[in-house]
Amino acid sequence: MSITSEKELEGMRRISEIVATTLKEMRLYTKPGMSTREIDEYGGKLLEKQGARSAPKLTYGFPGYTCISLNHEIAHGIPAANKIIQEGDLINIDVSAEFNGYWSDNGGSFVVGQDIHGYQPLVETSKNILYKAIHAIHGGVRICDIGKLIETEARRNGYTVIRNLGGHGIGRGLHESPSDILNCYDQANRARFKRFGVVAIETFISTASNYANQEADGWTLVGNRGGFVAQHEHTIVITEGAPIILTAANEIWN
């Protein structure tokens, strides 16, 4: 989507505020002993209360209001009653939704309770790389150069990236063009970010794996070499200067 009017910008601001505050409240709600289904149902109620509809349910028939990935899971984790969160677990919550014809997406990984397993450095690196990547984006920047930035920063910090996952265009649907905002350098991708375009930028920073494989459930993604992955995501509007971060209310950088 490209923003062509103040009405469109306000529409994107509203749905982005909804998904951002929902993610924030779900993060604050999460405690050891809860199931991922319990957290997902809480998020579903928050979306419904604000008049929004779950994007993964609406678009793909996903069996949950949100994607909640636990420990070794990278993304698209199915909320379940038998997935019980323990102290120190690494959890990722991804919230996307539709409201009045506009769509927005955001996500974040965090440690539940005390960091007894030492995941926090991975989480902080993912956050920091997302910040650097987003603030390097403006109209005319090559998409592959942002992938190179993410990959280079990950390596500098002793991590790798998931090479077959990345960000995407968004706005009038959950996944729009450009569909290949990867976390790595793809020299074949000559596309550039367009001014006033709306995109969801994501990091997938990994301790071991470099590709995501789908589990037998048809949804859950896990790494090809094991380890753990931290993901963080914002929906932004591209400008000639600093981008407009529509989902800033999720406070993943606070």
mmCIF file of all heavy atoms in Angstrom, residues 66-114:
data_model
loop_
_atom_site.group_PDB
_atom_site.id
_atom_site.type_symbol
_atom_site.label_atom_id
_atom_site.label_comp_id
_atom_site.label_asym_id
_atom_site.label_seq_id
_atom_site.Cartn_x
_atom_site.Cartn_y
_atom_site.Cartn_z
ATOM 1 N N THR A 66 -3.689 -14.932 17.411
ATOM 2 C CA THR A 66 -2.334 -14.433 17.234
ATOM 3 C C THR A 66 -1.396 -15.620 17.081
ATOM 4 O O THR A 66 -1.760 -16.756 17.395
ATOM 5 C CB THR A 66 -1.878 -13.590 18.444
ATOM 6 O OG1 THR A 66 -1.806 -14.442 19.601
ATOM 7 C CG2 THR A 66 -2.854 -12.449 18.712
ATOM 8 N N CYS A 67 -0.188 -15.365 16.622
ATOM 9 C CA CYS A 67 0.829 -16.409 16.561
ATOM 10 C C CYS A 67 1.695 -16.306 17.815
ATOM 11 O O CYS A 67 2.234 -15.233 18.103
ATOM 12 C CB CYS A 67 1.699 -16.237 15.323
ATOM 13 S SG CYS A 67 0.804 -16.363 13.759
ATOM 14 N N ILE A 68 1.809 -17.407 18.550
ATOM 15 C CA ILE A 68 2.615 -17.419 19.769
ATOM 16 C C ILE A 68 3.609 -18.571 19.669
ATOM 17 O O ILE A 68 3.232 -19.745 19.662
ATOM 18 C CB ILE A 68 1.742 -17.564 21.027
ATOM 19 C CG1 ILE A 68 0.707 -16.422 21.088
ATOM 20 C CG2 ILE A 68 2.630 -17.556 22.276
ATOM 21 C CD1 ILE A 68 -0.183 -16.457 22.311
ATOM 22 N N SER A 69 4.877 -18.216 19.565
ATOM 23 C CA SER A 69 5.937 -19.195 19.352
ATOM 24 C C SER A 69 6.792 -19.297 20.613
ATOM 25 O O SER A 69 7.207 -18.276 21.166
ATOM 26 C CB SER A 69 6.797 -18.793 18.153
ATOM 27 O OG SER A 69 5.971 -18.605 17.008
ATOM 28 N N LEU A 70 7.046 -20.532 21.045
ATOM 29 C CA LEU A 70 7.682 -20.778 22.341
ATOM 30 C C LEU A 70 9.024 -21.479 22.173
ATOM 31 O O LEU A 70 9.118 -22.529 21.519
ATOM 32 C CB LEU A 70 6.729 -21.616 23.195
ATOM 33 C CG LEU A 70 7.034 -21.791 24.675
ATOM 34 C CD1 LEU A 70 7.054 -20.434 25.387
ATOM 35 C CD2 LEU A 70 5.980 -22.703 25.317
ATOM 36 N N ASN A 71 10.054 -20.884 22.767
ATOM 37 C CA ASN A 71 11.403 -21.459 22.815
ATOM 38 C C ASN A 71 11.960 -21.806 21.439
ATOM 39 O O ASN A 71 12.327 -20.904 20.702
ATOM 40 C CB ASN A 71 11.431 -22.645 23.780
ATOM 41 C CG ASN A 71 11.238 -22.196 25.228
ATOM 42 O OD1 ASN A 71 11.706 -21.138 25.617
ATOM 43 N ND2 ASN A 71 10.536 -22.990 26.022
ATOM 44 N N HIS A 72 12.011 -23.068 21.049
ATOM 45 C CA HIS A 72 12.650 -23.450 19.786
ATOM 46 C C HIS A 72 11.830 -23.074 18.561
ATOM 47 O O HIS A 72 12.336 -23.131 17.441
ATOM 48 C CB HIS A 72 12.911 -24.962 19.760
ATOM 49 C CG HIS A 72 11.667 -25.785 19.690
ATOM 50 N ND1 HIS A 72 10.879 -26.025 20.800
ATOM 51 C CD2 HIS A 72 11.061 -26.401 18.648
ATOM 52 C CE1 HIS A 72 9.849 -26.773 20.441
ATOM 53 N NE2 HIS A 72 9.928 -27.011 19.143
ATOM 54 N N GLU A 73 10.555 -22.679 18.741
ATOM 55 C CA GLU A 73 9.719 -22.286 17.610
ATOM 56 C C GLU A 73 10.113 -20.892 17.141
ATOM 57 O O GLU A 73 10.311 -19.984 17.955
ATOM 58 C CB GLU A 73 8.247 -22.313 18.010
ATOM 59 C CG GLU A 73 7.768 -23.698 18.426
ATOM 60 C CD GLU A 73 6.368 -23.694 19.022
ATOM 61 O OE1 GLU A 73 5.887 -22.605 19.407
ATOM 62 O OE2 GLU A 73 5.774 -24.783 19.113
ATOM 63 N N ILE A 74 10.202 -20.710 15.825
ATOM 64 C CA ILE A 74 10.594 -19.415 15.267
ATOM 65 C C ILE A 74 9.396 -18.500 15.060
ATOM 66 O O ILE A 74 9.400 -17.326 15.442
ATOM 67 C CB ILE A 74 11.320 -19.607 13.915
ATOM 68 C CG1 ILE A 74 12.632 -20.357 14.116
ATOM 69 C CG2 ILE A 74 11.580 -18.257 13.242
ATOM 70 C CD1 ILE A 74 13.351 -20.672 12.822
ATOM 71 N N ALA A 75 8.347 -19.035 14.434
ATOM 72 C CA ALA A 75 7.191 -18.214 14.066
ATOM 73 C C ALA A 75 5.996 -19.121 13.787
ATOM 74 O O ALA A 75 6.127 -20.331 13.636
ATOM 75 C CB ALA A 75 7.505 -17.374 12.829
ATOM 76 N N HIS A 76 4.817 -18.494 13.727
ATOM 77 C CA HIS A 76 3.556 -19.152 13.389
ATOM 78 C C HIS A 76 3.181 -20.264 14.367
ATOM 79 O O HIS A 76 2.480 -21.213 14.005
ATOM 80 C CB HIS A 76 3.590 -19.709 11.961
ATOM 81 C CG HIS A 76 3.888 -18.684 10.919
ATOM 82 N ND1 HIS A 76 4.236 -19.005 9.626
ATOM 83 C CD2 HIS A 76 3.911 -17.317 10.983
ATOM 84 C CE1 HIS A 76 4.459 -17.897 8.938
ATOM 85 N NE2 HIS A 76 4.268 -16.864 9.748
ATOM 86 N N GLY A 77 3.659 -20.131 15.608
ATOM 87 C CA GLY A 77 3.303 -21.107 16.629
ATOM 88 C C GLY A 77 1.809 -21.083 16.923
ATOM 89 O O GLY A 77 1.205 -20.015 17.063
ATOM 90 N N ILE A 78 1.199 -22.269 17.013
ATOM 91 C CA ILE A 78 -0.235 -22.382 17.273
ATOM 92 C C ILE A 78 -0.481 -22.319 18.778
ATOM 93 O O ILE A 78 0.058 -23.144 19.527
ATOM 94 C CB ILE A 78 -0.796 -23.699 16.711
ATOM 95 C CG1 ILE A 78 -0.583 -23.776 15.200
ATOM 96 C CG2 ILE A 78 -2.268 -23.841 17.058
ATOM 97 C CD1 ILE A 78 -0.959 -25.127 14.606
ATOM 98 N N PRO A 79 -1.299 -21.395 19.254
ATOM 99 C CA PRO A 79 -1.635 -21.360 20.678
ATOM 100 C C PRO A 79 -2.315 -22.660 21.097
ATOM 101 O O PRO A 79 -3.183 -23.176 20.389
ATOM 102 C CB PRO A 79 -2.603 -20.177 20.781
ATOM 103 C CG PRO A 79 -2.285 -19.319 19.588
ATOM 104 C CD PRO A 79 -1.919 -20.277 18.509
ATOM 105 N N ALA A 80 -1.898 -23.199 22.239
ATOM 106 C CA ALA A 80 -2.424 -24.495 22.676
ATOM 107 C C ALA A 80 -2.529 -24.558 24.190
ATOM 108 O O ALA A 80 -1.718 -23.960 24.909
ATOM 109 C CB ALA A 80 -1.529 -25.628 22.164
ATOM 110 N N ALA A 81 -3.516 -25.320 24.662
ATOM 111 C CA ALA A 81 -3.736 -25.464 26.101
ATOM 112 C C ALA A 81 -2.624 -26.247 26.774
ATOM 113 O O ALA A 81 -2.385 -26.100 27.981
ATOM 114 C CB ALA A 81 -5.083 -26.147 26.342
ATOM 115 N N ASN A 82 -1.930 -27.096 26.023
ATOM 116 C CA ASN A 82 -0.870 -27.911 26.622
ATOM 117 C C ASN A 82 0.526 -27.302 26.497
ATOM 118 O O ASN A 82 1.510 -27.921 26.881
ATOM 119 C CB ASN A 82 -0.875 -29.316 26.014
ATOM 120 C CG ASN A 82 -0.568 -29.326 24.520
ATOM 121 O OD1 ASN A 82 -0.475 -28.272 23.890
ATOM 122 N ND2 ASN A 82 -0.421 -30.510 23.963
ATOM 123 N N LYS A 83 0.608 -26.099 25.968
ATOM 124 C CA LYS A 83 1.884 -25.384 25.935
ATOM 125 C C LYS A 83 1.916 -24.436 27.136
ATOM 126 O O LYS A 83 1.366 -23.332 27.094
ATOM 127 C CB LYS A 83 2.042 -24.600 24.630
ATOM 128 C CG LYS A 83 2.299 -25.461 23.411
ATOM 129 C CD LYS A 83 2.552 -24.586 22.191
ATOM 130 C CE LYS A 83 2.821 -25.408 20.940
ATOM 131 N NZ LYS A 83 3.020 -24.539 19.749
ATOM 132 N N ILE A 84 2.548 -24.891 28.203
ATOM 133 C CA ILE A 84 2.582 -24.137 29.457
ATOM 134 C C ILE A 84 3.904 -23.386 29.568
ATOM 135 O O ILE A 84 4.983 -23.973 29.425
ATOM 136 C CB ILE A 84 2.412 -25.078 30.661
ATOM 137 C CG1 ILE A 84 1.145 -25.928 30.502
ATOM 138 C CG2 ILE A 84 2.362 -24.264 31.953
ATOM 139 C CD1 ILE A 84 -0.141 -25.125 30.376
ATOM 140 N N ILE A 85 3.798 -22.118 29.829
ATOM 141 C CA ILE A 85 4.976 -21.254 29.895
ATOM 142 C C ILE A 85 5.683 -21.410 31.231
ATOM 143 O O ILE A 85 5.044 -21.390 32.291
ATOM 144 C CB ILE A 85 4.565 -19.793 29.655
ATOM 145 C CG1 ILE A 85 4.019 -19.645 28.221
ATOM 146 C CG2 ILE A 85 5.736 -18.852 29.880
ATOM 147 C CD1 ILE A 85 3.330 -18.348 27.968
ATOM 148 N N GLN A 86 7.011 -21.542 31.159
ATOM 149 C CA GLN A 86 7.839 -21.688 32.349
ATOM 150 C C GLN A 86 8.696 -20.441 32.558
ATOM 151 O O GLN A 86 8.948 -19.675 31.634
ATOM 152 C CB GLN A 86 8.745 -22.914 32.203
ATOM 153 C CG GLN A 86 8.027 -24.206 31.866
ATOM 154 C CD GLN A 86 7.096 -24.684 32.939
ATOM 155 O OE1 GLN A 86 7.396 -24.528 34.129
ATOM 156 N NE2 GLN A 86 5.964 -25.263 32.550
ATOM 157 N N GLU A 87 9.150 -20.276 33.783
ATOM 158 C CA GLU A 87 10.057 -19.177 34.103
ATOM 159 C C GLU A 87 11.276 -19.224 33.188
ATOM 160 O O GLU A 87 11.906 -20.277 33.006
ATOM 161 C CB GLU A 87 10.514 -19.293 35.560
ATOM 162 C CG GLU A 87 11.373 -18.142 36.045
ATOM 163 C CD GLU A 87 10.560 -16.931 36.472
ATOM 164 O OE1 GLU A 87 9.331 -17.062 36.638
ATOM 165 O OE2 GLU A 87 11.160 -15.861 36.648
ATOM 166 N N GLY A 88 11.607 -18.096 32.581
ATOM 167 C CA GLY A 88 12.785 -17.993 31.734
ATOM 168 C C GLY A 88 12.588 -18.404 30.289
ATOM 169 O O GLY A 88 13.540 -18.357 29.503
ATOM 170 N N ASP A 89 11.353 -18.804 29.925
ATOM 171 C CA ASP A 89 11.098 -19.185 28.535
ATOM 172 C C ASP A 89 11.260 -17.996 27.596
ATOM 173 O O ASP A 89 11.019 -16.845 27.976
ATOM 174 C CB ASP A 89 9.684 -19.741 28.374
ATOM 175 C CG ASP A 89 9.572 -21.215 28.727
ATOM 176 O OD1 ASP A 89 10.613 -21.866 28.929
ATOM 177 O OD2 ASP A 89 8.433 -21.720 28.801
ATOM 178 N N LEU A 90 11.645 -18.306 26.353
ATOM 179 C CA LEU A 90 11.683 -17.313 25.278
ATOM 180 C C LEU A 90 10.380 -17.440 24.495
ATOM 181 O O LEU A 90 10.060 -18.513 23.985
ATOM 182 C CB LEU A 90 12.871 -17.567 24.357
ATOM 183 C CG LEU A 90 13.001 -16.639 23.136
ATOM 184 C CD1 LEU A 90 13.255 -15.201 23.571
ATOM 185 C CD2 LEU A 90 14.117 -17.139 22.211
ATOM 186 N N ILE A 91 9.624 -16.357 24.429
ATOM 187 C CA ILE A 91 8.328 -16.388 23.764
ATOM 188 C C ILE A 91 8.251 -15.270 22.733
ATOM 189 O O ILE A 91 8.822 -14.196 22.928
ATOM 190 C CB ILE A 91 7.179 -16.267 24.797
ATOM 191 C CG1 ILE A 91 5.805 -16.465 24.147
ATOM 192 C CG2 ILE A 91 7.245 -14.965 25.551
ATOM 193 C CD1 ILE A 91 4.663 -16.568 25.157
ATOM 194 N N ASN A 92 7.579 -15.560 21.645
ATOM 195 C CA ASN A 92 7.330 -14.542 20.624
ATOM 196 C C ASN A 92 5.834 -14.429 20.386
ATOM 197 O O ASN A 92 5.155 -15.445 20.205
ATOM 198 C CB ASN A 92 8.028 -14.886 19.316
ATOM 199 C CG ASN A 92 7.713 -13.867 18.215
ATOM 200 O OD1 ASN A 92 6.758 -14.020 17.477
ATOM 201 N ND2 ASN A 92 8.517 -12.823 18.140
ATOM 202 N N ILE A 93 5.345 -13.216 20.408
ATOM 203 C CA ILE A 93 3.939 -12.955 20.100
ATOM 204 C C ILE A 93 3.879 -12.048 18.880
ATOM 205 O O ILE A 93 4.526 -11.006 18.840
ATOM 206 C CB ILE A 93 3.207 -12.292 21.282
ATOM 207 C CG1 ILE A 93 3.259 -13.199 22.521
ATOM 208 C CG2 ILE A 93 1.759 -11.982 20.903
ATOM 209 C CD1 ILE A 93 2.619 -12.575 23.766
ATOM 210 N N ASP A 94 3.124 -12.475 17.885
ATOM 211 C CA ASP A 94 2.953 -11.704 16.654
ATOM 212 C C ASP A 94 1.471 -11.380 16.510
ATOM 213 O O ASP A 94 0.637 -12.286 16.443
ATOM 214 C CB ASP A 94 3.448 -12.512 15.462
ATOM 215 C CG ASP A 94 3.592 -11.667 14.203
ATOM 216 O OD1 ASP A 94 2.568 -11.118 13.751
ATOM 217 O OD2 ASP A 94 4.699 -11.575 13.667
ATOM 218 N N VAL A 95 1.157 -10.094 16.477
ATOM 219 C CA VAL A 95 -0.235 -9.641 16.405
ATOM 220 C C VAL A 95 -0.447 -8.853 15.117
ATOM 221 O O VAL A 95 0.230 -7.861 14.864
ATOM 222 C CB VAL A 95 -0.609 -8.742 17.608
ATOM 223 C CG1 VAL A 95 -2.071 -8.317 17.518
ATOM 224 C CG2 VAL A 95 -0.345 -9.461 18.925
ATOM 225 N N SER A 96 -1.378 -9.313 14.303
ATOM 226 C CA SER A 96 -1.772 -8.583 13.098
ATOM 227 C C SER A 96 -3.289 -8.603 13.011
ATOM 228 O O SER A 96 -3.932 -9.570 13.440
ATOM 229 C CB SER A 96 -1.146 -9.215 11.851
ATOM 230 O OG SER A 96 -1.469 -10.593 11.767
ATOM 231 N N ALA A 97 -3.856 -7.537 12.468
ATOM 232 C CA ALA A 97 -5.318 -7.440 12.450
ATOM 233 C C ALA A 97 -5.790 -6.462 11.382
ATOM 234 O O ALA A 97 -5.003 -5.709 10.806
ATOM 235 C CB ALA A 97 -5.841 -7.014 13.819
ATOM 236 N N GLU A 98 -7.111 -6.503 11.157
ATOM 237 C CA GLU A 98 -7.779 -5.618 10.187
ATOM 238 C C GLU A 98 -8.828 -4.795 10.909
ATOM 239 O O GLU A 98 -9.517 -5.283 11.810
ATOM 240 C CB GLU A 98 -8.432 -6.471 9.093
ATOM 241 C CG GLU A 98 -9.198 -5.677 8.045
ATOM 242 C CD GLU A 98 -10.658 -5.371 8.446
ATOM 243 O OE1 GLU A 98 -11.190 -6.056 9.350
ATOM 244 O OE2 GLU A 98 -11.252 -4.443 7.862
ATOM 245 N N PHE A 99 -8.937 -3.528 10.496
ATOM 246 C CA PHE A 99 -9.975 -2.639 11.023
ATOM 247 C C PHE A 99 -10.352 -1.636 9.940
ATOM 248 O O PHE A 99 -9.493 -0.917 9.427
ATOM 249 C CB PHE A 99 -9.466 -1.891 12.264
ATOM 250 C CG PHE A 99 -10.473 -0.949 12.865
ATOM 251 C CD1 PHE A 99 -11.524 -1.423 13.639
ATOM 252 C CD2 PHE A 99 -10.361 0.423 12.666
ATOM 253 C CE1 PHE A 99 -12.449 -0.547 14.198
ATOM 254 C CE2 PHE A 99 -11.273 1.305 13.210
ATOM 255 C CZ PHE A 99 -12.332 0.816 13.980
ATOM 256 N N ASN A 100 -11.623 -1.636 9.560
ATOM 257 C CA ASN A 100 -12.138 -0.704 8.549
ATOM 258 C C ASN A 100 -11.366 -0.771 7.227
ATOM 259 O O ASN A 100 -11.172 0.255 6.565
ATOM 260 C CB ASN A 100 -12.139 0.731 9.080
ATOM 261 C CG ASN A 100 -13.309 0.990 10.021
ATOM 262 O OD1 ASN A 100 -14.224 0.169 10.143
ATOM 263 N ND2 ASN A 100 -13.280 2.128 10.697
ATOM 264 N N GLY A 101 -10.932 -1.968 6.857
ATOM 265 C CA GLY A 101 -10.253 -2.142 5.581
ATOM 266 C C GLY A 101 -8.767 -1.900 5.596
ATOM 267 O O GLY A 101 -8.109 -2.003 4.553
ATOM 268 N N TYR A 102 -8.199 -1.609 6.758
ATOM 269 C CA TYR A 102 -6.763 -1.381 6.898
ATOM 270 C C TYR A 102 -6.153 -2.490 7.766
ATOM 271 O O TYR A 102 -6.784 -2.974 8.701
ATOM 272 C CB TYR A 102 -6.480 -0.016 7.523
ATOM 273 C CG TYR A 102 -6.945 1.136 6.673
ATOM 274 C CD1 TYR A 102 -8.180 1.744 6.894
ATOM 275 C CD2 TYR A 102 -6.154 1.621 5.631
ATOM 276 C CE1 TYR A 102 -8.619 2.793 6.100
ATOM 277 C CE2 TYR A 102 -6.578 2.672 4.839
ATOM 278 C CZ TYR A 102 -7.810 3.253 5.078
ATOM 279 O OH TYR A 102 -8.244 4.294 4.283
ATOM 280 N N TRP A 103 -4.915 -2.861 7.434
ATOM 281 C CA TRP A 103 -4.241 -3.970 8.096
ATOM 282 C C TRP A 103 -2.884 -3.526 8.630
ATOM 283 O O TRP A 103 -2.191 -2.726 7.996
ATOM 284 C CB TRP A 103 -4.017 -5.109 7.106
ATOM 285 C CG TRP A 103 -5.255 -5.617 6.419
ATOM 286 C CD1 TRP A 103 -6.069 -4.918 5.566
ATOM 287 C CD2 TRP A 103 -5.821 -6.929 6.518
ATOM 288 N NE1 TRP A 103 -7.102 -5.723 5.130
ATOM 289 C CE2 TRP A 103 -6.970 -6.966 5.694
ATOM 290 C CE3 TRP A 103 -5.446 -8.088 7.210
ATOM 291 C CZ2 TRP A 103 -7.747 -8.104 5.553
ATOM 292 C CZ3 TRP A 103 -6.223 -9.229 7.068
ATOM 293 C CH2 TRP A 103 -7.359 -9.228 6.256
ATOM 294 N N SER A 104 -2.503 -4.070 9.787
ATOM 295 C CA SER A 104 -1.196 -3.767 10.361
ATOM 296 C C SER A 104 -0.665 -4.994 11.094
ATOM 297 O O SER A 104 -1.429 -5.882 11.470
ATOM 298 C CB SER A 104 -1.285 -2.565 11.304
ATOM 299 O OG SER A 104 0.010 -2.137 11.696
ATOM 300 N N ASP A 105 0.649 -5.008 11.304
ATOM 301 C CA ASP A 105 1.338 -6.196 11.803
ATOM 302 C C ASP A 105 2.476 -5.768 12.720
ATOM 303 O O ASP A 105 3.205 -4.817 12.407
ATOM 304 C CB ASP A 105 1.878 -6.980 10.596
ATOM 305 C CG ASP A 105 2.343 -8.381 10.919
ATOM 306 O OD1 ASP A 105 2.277 -8.794 12.078
ATOM 307 O OD2 ASP A 105 2.778 -9.064 9.969
ATOM 308 N N ASN A 106 2.632 -6.466 13.832
ATOM 309 C CA ASN A 106 3.797 -6.228 14.697
ATOM 310 C C ASN A 106 4.051 -7.445 15.570
ATOM 311 O O ASN A 106 3.186 -8.298 15.747
ATOM 312 C CB ASN A 106 3.662 -4.959 15.523
ATOM 313 C CG ASN A 106 2.633 -4.972 16.641
ATOM 314 O OD1 ASN A 106 2.706 -4.172 17.570
ATOM 315 N ND2 ASN A 106 1.652 -5.863 16.605
ATOM 316 N N GLY A 107 5.257 -7.543 16.075
ATOM 317 C CA GLY A 107 5.606 -8.699 16.888
ATOM 318 C C GLY A 107 6.826 -8.425 17.736
ATOM 319 O O GLY A 107 7.547 -7.452 17.518
ATOM 320 N N GLY A 108 7.036 -9.315 18.701
ATOM 321 C CA GLY A 108 8.217 -9.163 19.544
ATOM 322 C C GLY A 108 8.488 -10.394 20.383
ATOM 323 O O GLY A 108 7.558 -11.071 20.838
ATOM 324 N N SER A 109 9.755 -10.685 20.566
ATOM 325 C CA SER A 109 10.190 -11.772 21.443
ATOM 326 C C SER A 109 10.603 -11.190 22.791
ATOM 327 O O SER A 109 11.120 -10.078 22.868
ATOM 328 C CB SER A 109 11.381 -12.512 20.830
ATOM 329 O OG SER A 109 11.026 -13.143 19.621
ATOM 330 N N PHE A 110 10.381 -11.972 23.857
ATOM 331 C CA PHE A 110 10.773 -11.531 25.194
ATOM 332 C C PHE A 110 10.954 -12.741 26.096
ATOM 333 O O PHE A 110 10.483 -13.840 25.801
ATOM 334 C CB PHE A 110 9.741 -10.555 25.780
ATOM 335 C CG PHE A 110 8.351 -11.111 25.925
ATOM 336 C CD1 PHE A 110 7.906 -11.619 27.139
ATOM 337 C CD2 PHE A 110 7.476 -11.127 24.843
ATOM 338 C CE1 PHE A 110 6.624 -12.136 27.264
ATOM 339 C CE2 PHE A 110 6.180 -11.632 24.968
ATOM 340 C CZ PHE A 110 5.754 -12.135 26.181
ATOM 341 N N VAL A 111 11.656 -12.518 27.185
ATOM 342 C CA VAL A 111 11.876 -13.560 28.181
ATOM 343 C C VAL A 111 10.808 -13.428 29.252
ATOM 344 O O VAL A 111 10.536 -12.326 29.744
ATOM 345 C CB VAL A 111 13.276 -13.435 28.801
ATOM 346 C CG1 VAL A 111 13.469 -14.458 29.908
ATOM 347 C CG2 VAL A 111 14.347 -13.601 27.730
ATOM 348 N N VAL A 112 10.206 -14.552 29.629
ATOM 349 C CA VAL A 112 9.172 -14.559 30.658
ATOM 350 C C VAL A 112 9.836 -14.665 32.032
ATOM 351 O O VAL A 112 10.557 -15.635 32.310
ATOM 352 C CB VAL A 112 8.192 -15.724 30.464
ATOM 353 C CG1 VAL A 112 7.107 -15.692 31.547
ATOM 354 C CG2 VAL A 112 7.559 -15.673 29.082
ATOM 355 N N GLY A 113 9.620 -13.672 32.880
ATOM 356 C CA GLY A 113 10.198 -13.694 34.221
ATOM 357 C C GLY A 113 11.701 -13.483 34.195
ATOM 358 O O GLY A 113 12.223 -12.665 33.433
ATOM 359 N N GLN A 114 12.404 -14.237 35.011
ATOM 360 C CA GLN A 114 13.852 -14.104 35.120
ATOM 361 C C GLN A 114 14.560 -14.792 33.948
ATOM 362 O O GLN A 114 14.144 -15.864 33.504
ATOM 363 C CB GLN A 114 14.333 -14.715 36.437
ATOM 364 C CG GLN A 114 13.813 -14.002 37.667
ATOM 365 C CD GLN A 114 14.289 -12.566 37.764
ATOM 366 O OE1 GLN A 114 15.483 -12.291 37.599
ATOM 367 N NE2 GLN A 114 13.382 -11.651 38.035
#
